[in-house]
Amino acid sequence: QTRLVESGGGSVQAGGSLRLSCAASDYTYVSYAMGWFRQAPGKQREGVAAIHKGGGSTYYADSVKGRFTISWDNAENTLYLQMNNLNPDDTAMYYCAAGPTKETIVLNPNERALEAWGQGTLVAISA
């Protein structure tokens, strides 16, 4: 069973940066894509970014393009999300996820479509 553990969340001021990590342990399930979605209080889940593990192609939500960069370390089975120029609208719980395609993770990050997800890490951005 795939277990995903996120880390790296925290509180920063607007304009700052954070780097999230997601370690995939007990990795036995072959998922083609890994990615991140987020959920703010009272709001729906929003896909953020995803990557195809084999080819490295990426997919980003319009709201984070140019600010966030996703990467996958195959040797370490670890997913990263570098977040720059953060703003208060980025405040949310961020979840690491595994899915059949990168588009699924970003466009349809619901429980039926995803193969696994973690417990989340909190990102709080102050103005």
Side-chain angles (χ1 to χ4, degrees):
Q1 182 177 1
T2 299
R3 181 168 174 254
L4 305 174
V5 180
E6 303 94 337
S7 61
S11 299
V12 298
Q13 290 187 326
S17 298
L18 285 171
R19 188 191 194 206
L20 306 184
S21 299
C22 171
S25 62
D26 298 328
Y27 185 78
T28 59
Y29 192 90
V30 180
S31 295
Y32 288 107
M34 298 286 294
W36 299 87
F37 66 88
R38 64 189 181 186
Q39 189 164 22
K43 294 187 177 181
Q44 290 186 334
R45 286 185 180 186
E46 178 190 16
V48 175
I51 187 168
H52 186 277
K53 294 189 303 179
S57 60
T58 58
Y59 193 92
Y60 294 93
D62 288 342
S63 58
V64 306
K65 277 182 184 176
R67 300 188 299 123
F68 291 11
T69 302
I70 190 170
S71 59
W72 167 253
D73 186 328
N74 201 50
E76 298 293 330
N77 272 351
T78 301
L79 182 72
Y80 298 99
L81 185 68
Q82 178 66 44
M83 305 186 296
N84 298 327
N85 194 22
L86 288 160
N87 61 65
D89 289 338
D90 295 316
T91 295
M93 187 73 81
Y94 282 70
Y95 298 87
C96 174
T101 70
K102 58 185 187 297
E103 290 81 4
T104 296
I105 294 173
V106 176
L107 300 177
N108 191 28
N110 65 70
E111 295 181 3
R112 287 188 175 184
L114 300 176
E115 292 159 351
W117 56 92
Q119 295 298 308
T121 185
L122 182 62
V123 171
I125 312 302
S126 58

